[in-house]
Structures are given as structure tokens and as C-alpha cells.
Amino acid sequence: MPDSKAISEAEMEARLHGICFKTGPPRRIGVELEWLVYDPQDPTRPVEPPRLEAAVTALRGLPLRSAVTFEPGGQVELSSLPADSLTACVESVAADLVLVRSLLTGLGLGIAGHGHDPWRPPRRFLSTPRYESMETYFNRRGPAGRSMMCNTASVQVCVDAGQEEPGPLGLGRRWRLAHLLGAVLTAAFANSPLREGRPTGYRSTRQALWASMDPGRVLAPPDGREPRTAWARYVLDAPVMAVRAEHGAWTVPDGLTFRQWARTALPRPPTLDDLDFHISTLFPPVRPRGHLELRMIDAQSGDDGWIVPLAVTVALFDDPQAAETVYRVVKPLAETAGVRPAPCNPLWLSATRDGLADPELRSVAAVCFATALEALPRLGASPAITSAVADFTDRYVARGRCPADDLLATVPGLATVPGKEERP
């Protein structure tokens, strides 16, 4: 491991305060897109490892501007470079996706945008110490972690943390906005109602899996604290997933927090690299990585479905007028949420289960999408981007629907045969 120098608990807190929220006027955005890899001839058939390995090797040879990585179940992830405008981000990633799809088509494969694989059971493709340790850790708590690792995909939108000063673009306001608006985004873009062809009872099975996993690493930090302080405490009090080793298997402790590891220095003193690795194993719905990473949006179907959640989120965060409007609209949702952190409070659970069939979320989403449509021209969004958001608004939001409803409509007899739904 590169950095073997042990650091103190005070140094850890200083590190967390310094790197996780980089403040300044919001100007850069990014997106991370995860896709399920499947065989278009038979989506229910697992893609065998030799075919996935060939695809991985070929994709890594493409001249992409985005970084390409792979998730444990063989999902492809494209991570954009930080962009100075929404249109620049969309154009760059869209060009990369053309190359990716073309190459995979030549290999007899395709990529699908679903929050949870609707066809196949989980099967781990990558055998690295990180993912072996992660599977061991999550298996102690049930099957949800394995499904999350191998069967889920998302659209992760990255926006700047915001300014130090108060106001619509201030750090504190954006942090709180993310945790309330996040439920609206979960509901509006829910796109994972099926598992192995059967309804699960949730519009977003992906989000239901997150909510059922280890609370020490998937819940949001407690509300009401200054963001830097809340995040530093959260990180240090979160369970350690793995103690890495240069040689041999990694240790997977049970119930050891990072703070306890720092104080006991057992089985060895933690280093700065250990802290950074630990942060990468925490999965709250909003994760500060210098910027804010919004992790609650299901992957979207269609070639360009991913553009809509990116555009809506950026418009509501980075246009000052829209940010002020939407904050007033989502603020009352805090009463529905109650005191439990996201994603395990009543607000988020309703979004996960019902999508925009929930009347309160539907009403708030309607205002949020209308506000985003007004803001996009002010941000210089291309007509194609604005049109995509308008079409989604008309098709789903205005009707109290989400993409999951399209998938549920394909299940024969679901509307007339009771008892067809199951839970993750």
C-alpha cells in the first residue's frame, strides 16, 4: 500500500474536514453511468466470463474521454471528466456511449439501463480482494449486499459542494437540499420493479436494497449538524469493511469502527490510505468527495434516458433562482421524513415503494420539473436536453408515473392476480 505512515484521530478529522467539501461558486458537474451488460438474443441468460473478459479488454482500448470501470457483476461504468457546462458534459458522455455501444454490438452484447437486473440472479464476475471482502462483509447481514454489488446500476450526478456563504448556492443549503430532493429524484426516476422477472413490490428495488443493508454505511449522517462535522463523525464511527494486506487475504472485522481502529491500532495502525479506502466503502445517498455525489437515481432505459436526471439535478442545484424555489418546495418534506436518516425514513420509503404514485411526491415533483425546465435555458442547455426533460415530464411526472410503471405493465396479469409481488 502506497502510504504506510500511521495517522492520529485528530489528523483523520482534519483530513475529512479538508477534502470532502471543496467550496466555491458552483461551476463544474459530472456524471457516472452504470449499465447492465446483457445478451440481446436472450436477456435472461448470464453472460459467461470469457465473453465479459473479452468485452472488458476491448472497452479499455477505446479512446474514451470518460473513465471506464467495471462493477462486481460485470456492469460497465462510465465516469465523465468534470465539465464546465451541462451541454458539454452531455455531449462528451454521449460520444463515448456511441463508441461503447458500437463495440459491444460487434461482440453480440448490449447495455441496458435498469436500476436492478430484471432478468438474472446475482453472480459476481470480478474476484479482487476488495470485492471478495465486500461480499464476505455483506453476507453476514443477508443477501441484499450481494444483489447490490452484482445486479444494480445507477445514474450518479456530481455537483459542486457550494459556497461557504449562506444562500441558495451555499454548502449548508445544498447539503440539506440533496437529502430532501433526493427522495423526489428516487421517486421520479424509479426504474427497478422486477427481480428475475417478478415484481418485488417496490418501484425502486435498487433503493430498497440499499435501505436494507448495513445502516452504519448506507444511512445519511444525522440531520441538523454542520456538514463537515456531521460527515467527519459519520466516517469515523462507520464500521470498517476490510483491513487491507499487501499479501494474502484481507481481514474483514465485525463491528469495528474506524475510530476504534485508530484508538486501538489493532490489528495494525490505520494510515491515510486506509482512511481514503474506508470512505470509498461508505454508501450514503449523498456522498461528499470534494463535490456532492448524488447516488439515489436508478439507471435509466433508452439511449438518452440518463440525460434527464442529470439535467434536472444540475438545473435545480446550480441555477440560483431554481435552487431557491425548489428548496422552499421540498422543505416541508422534512416533516414527512421525520427524524430517521435517509434512506430509511418514511419519505424515502414511500419514494422507493410507490414512486410518483405517492400524492405528496407527485405534487412536489411537478413543481421541481417545471422549475428545472425554466432554468435549463438560463444554464445554456441545448434544445435537445430541454426537449428530453419536457418529454419525460409529460410522459411520467404529469401523470404520476415513473419508468418502473412501464416495466410493471409488461408483467402478464399483474393488475388482476393478487399476491404476485414479493419483497427484496
Side-chain angles (χ1 to χ4, degrees):
M1 290 168 284
D3 189 336
S4 60
K5 180 181 179 294
I7 57 173
S8 68
E9 188 176 338
E11 289 173 314
M12 292 173 188
E13 290 184 347
R15 168 79 170 176
L16 291 167
H17 274 96
I19 68 167
C20 290
F21 295 93
K22 301 292 180 64
T23 54
R27 66 183 187 87
R28 287 192 153 188
I29 60 171
V31 68
E32 299 176 16
L33 305 178
E34 296 172 342
W35 302 89
L36 304 172
V37 177
Y38 74 108
D39 185 337
Q41 298 299 316
D42 184 2
T44 66
R45 182 176 65 188
V47 178
E48 295 304 318
R51 297 183 71 191
L52 277 173
E53 289 167 3
V56 166
T57 300
L59 287 170
R60 285 178 172 152
L62 288 177
L64 303 176
R65 283 170 281 188
S66 304
V68 60
T69 54
F70 300 89
E71 294 299 307
Q75 307 98 309
V76 175
E77 180 178 272
L78 293 181
S79 301
S80 75
L81 293 172
D84 290 329
S85 73
L86 173 61
T87 298
C89 184
V90 168
E91 290 177 347
S92 175
V93 176
D96 286 344
L97 281 170
V98 170
L99 296 177
V100 168
R101 287 194 174 97
S102 177
L103 184 148
L104 290 176
T105 298
L107 297 174
L109 297 172
I111 52 175
H114 298 289
H116 185 277
D117 193 324
W119 312 295
R120 302 165 296 190
R123 188 175 70 161
R124 185 158 58 88
F125 167 65
L126 295 181
S127 295
T128 64
R130 174 186 173 93
Y131 294 128
E132 289 173 356
S133 299
M134 185 179 290
E135 185 171 303
T136 298
Y137 181 91
F138 283 128
N139 279 349
R140 293 171 178 166
R141 293 156 176 81
R146 181 177 176 83
S147 292
M148 176 278 293
M149 292 169 61
C150 300
N151 275 36
T152 63
S154 68
V155 175
Q156 298 177 17
V157 179
C158 301
V159 295
D160 279 335
Q163 301 172 334
E164 291 287 352
E165 298 79 10
L169 300 184
L171 165 64
R173 173 75 67 85
R174 286 163 77 87
W175 179 249
R176 183 157 174 74
L177 172 63
H179 288 90
L180 293 173
L181 180 62
V184 182
L185 298 175
T186 296
F189 297 109
N191 190 34
S192 52
L194 304 180
R195 179 176 58 191
E196 297 183 53
R198 294 172 58 86
T200 64
Y202 294 96
R203 297 305 203 279
S204 178
T205 301
R206 173 183 170 272
Q207 191 59 58
L209 289 170
W210 285 115
S212 64
M213 287 164 52
D214 174 23
R217 62 185 353 97
V218 301
L219 291 181
D223 194 14
R225 296 176 179 170
E226 190 275 327
R228 288 187 180 90
T229 299
W231 180 248
R233 291 180 181 177
Y234 176 88
V235 170
L236 294 181
D237 290 333
V240 174
M241 177 172 285
V243 177
R244 299 173 299 163
E246 291 190 47
H247 307 287
W250 294 0
T251 302
V252 182
D254 191 2
L256 176 71
T257 70
F258 204 91
R259 193 185 303 276
Q260 290 168 338
W261 185 15
R263 290 177 177 178
T264 63
L266 295 173
R268 60 168 175 79
T271 69
L272 184 61
D273 270 2
D274 289 321
L275 178 62
D276 291 342
F277 174 80
H278 175 62
I279 294 171
S280 77
T281 70
L282 304 179
F283 309 111
V286 182
R287 186 166 65 178
R289 304 294 293 269
H291 53 272
L292 300 182
E293 184 182 81
L294 279 70
R295 303 174 50 84
M296 71 290 296
I297 302 169
D298 279 358
Q300 298 294 292
S301 304
D303 289 354
D304 301 326
W306 60 274
I307 293 173
V308 179
L310 171 63
V312 170
T313 305
V314 170
L316 298 181
F317 272 84
D318 286 2
D319 179 82
Q321 182 177 333
E324 184 66 32
T325 297
V326 77
Y327 183 71
R328 291 199 301 267
V329 171
V330 303
K331 193 174 180 181
L333 293 177
E335 184 174 345
T336 302
V339 298
R340 292 203 70 191
C344 289
N345 60 48
L347 174 67
W348 280 71
L349 294 175
S350 293
T352 299
R353 183 185 59 246
D354 302 324
L356 293 187
D358 178 277
E360 183 179 35
L361 287 165
R362 176 182 180 177
S363 176
V364 172
V367 179
C368 290
F369 275 72
T371 302
L373 281 167
E374 293 174 359
L376 286 170
R378 296 195 293 266
L379 293 176
S382 69
I385 293 173
T386 303
S387 177
V389 175
D391 289 347
F392 186 98
T393 303
D394 291 341
R395 181 176 180 180
Y396 295 112
V397 180
R399 302 179 185 184
R401 300 177 69 250
C402 60
D405 294 313
D406 290 345
L407 279 174
L408 288 171
T410 68
V411 179
L414 178 62
T416 57
V417 180
K420 297 286 284 187
E421 296 185 350
E422 59 184 32
R423 297 294 183 183

